[in-house]
Amino acid sequence: MNTKQTRFTLIELLIIIVIFSIIATLSYSALNTSIKQKNAQKIHHKQLIELQKTLHHLERDITQIYNQVVVLDGSGLSIKSVQNEQLLKLNYSVFGKKLIRKDITNKENLY
């Protein structure tokens, strides 16, 4: 009885290695892309939270303006706002890409 053994040839093994290396390369690039997107999403999430806080403060200050003077000049937007039964003078200005809120109530009382 002659039994013929089936074996893989060298060319078949090389083709399998090439296929696996292509799959590994595609998997690595997909994983790398998803990690970069996750990091970008974290940064955007932090910026969105910061923007929401800023808009909340701005909305609160503007809604509490009642018969007060609003001044828009070179230094920014100055408003007087009542918060916790205290009159505050606030100054909003833009520095770079940031909206800066400063409480200048005590500075005026010093002079």
Side-chain angles (χ1 to χ4, degrees):
M1 280 201 218
N2 263 343
T3 58
K4 190 175 183 183
Q5 291 182 338
T6 57
R7 298 181 185 167
F8 293 110
T9 63
L10 183 59
I11 293 176
E12 292 172 334
L13 289 175
L14 288 175
I15 290 173
I16 291 172
I17 290 173
V18 167
I19 291 172
F20 280 137
S21 64
I22 290 172
I23 291 172
T25 303
L26 293 175
S27 299
Y28 173 76
S29 66
L31 180 65
N32 192 24
T33 301
S34 68
I35 289 173
K36 286 180 182 179
Q37 286 178 345
K38 183 180 178 183
N39 291 339
Q41 187 178 17
K42 283 183 182 179
I43 291 169
H44 290 161
H45 177 71
K46 287 179 184 178
Q47 290 174 343
L48 180 62
I49 295 295
E50 206 52 41
L51 180 61
Q52 287 175 337
K53 284 181 188 177
T54 303
L55 290 176
H56 174 71
H57 285 113
L58 185 60
E59 176 189 18
R60 184 189 64 201
D61 293 341
I62 289 175
T63 57
Q64 293 176 351
I65 297 173
Y66 178 72
N67 290 332
Q68 300 294 330
V69 176
V70 177
V71 178
L72 181 61
D73 58 9
S75 65
L77 174 72
S78 297
I79 61 173
K80 292 181 182 176
S81 174
V82 177
Q83 295 176 13
N84 298 328
E85 299 179 9
Q86 181 181 3
L87 180 64
L88 299 177
K89 182 157 185 187
L90 303 170
N91 187 335
Y92 282 94
S93 60
V94 177
F95 182 73
K97 292 185 177 181
K98 293 187 177 188
L99 180 65
I100 300 171
R101 176 183 184 255
K102 291 182 184 176
D103 182 1
I104 56 175
T105 306
N106 294 334
K107 289 182 182 178
E108 287 187 354
N109 293 340
L110 296 175
Y111 301 111

